[in-house]
Amino acid sequence: MSRVVRPSTPVIEYARQLAPEPRRAVKHALIELREERGDICALEGNLSGYYRLRVGRHRIIFNYAADGAIEAIFIEERHLVYELFEAQFIKRLKS
């Protein structure tokens, strides 16, 4: 089943700033995500309900929208992604 993938503005802007090879890898990974292919893992704890897609040293955080689409909402290098996303997620919940 093919799904619509909606990358957020921060994901698009981040990808544009990458070198050509990582940028191609991110683009290819988002295309493959339509078929839910790739190294996908459900997140736990405060981030349950979200998933990560591994793309080399980068991680894309996504979730499933009510309409069945996949919303790619955050991307960063592996060593930063979970801390930054969790901080942003908790900040959004408090406001």
Side-chain angles (χ1 to χ4, degrees):
M1 177 179 152
S2 185
R3 295 180 184 260
V4 172
V5 174
R6 291 191 296 246
S8 67
T9 301
V11 170
I12 293 168
E13 290 174 359
Y14 185 93
R16 283 184 182 151
Q17 296 178 13
L18 293 173
E21 189 55 39
R23 184 174 48 242
R24 276 191 290 276
V26 167
K27 184 177 178 181
H28 179 71
L30 289 171
I31 291 169
E32 291 291 305
L33 188 57
R34 292 180 196 163
E35 304 295 330
E36 298 182 88
R37 288 188 289 222
D39 187 350
I40 297 171
C41 183
L43 299 180
E44 300 174 353
N46 289 339
L47 301 178
S48 63
Y50 290 91
Y51 301 81
R52 71 99 173 115
L53 172 64
R54 184 174 68 114
V55 184
R57 67 181 201 203
H58 297 91
R59 303 295 182 269
I60 299 172
I61 306 295
F62 69 93
N63 66 353
Y64 293 93
D67 63 359
I70 295 173
E71 297 177 324
I73 53 180
F74 194 76
I75 183 173
E76 186 57 72
E77 289 189 14
R78 186 200 65 79
H79 67 281
L80 297 172
V81 70
Y82 303 111
E83 293 171 20
L84 292 175
F85 180 68
E86 186 172 13
Q88 194 177 68
F89 176 73
I90 290 171
K91 181 180 175 183
R92 217 176 331 147
L93 283 177
K94 289 182 179 178
S95 54

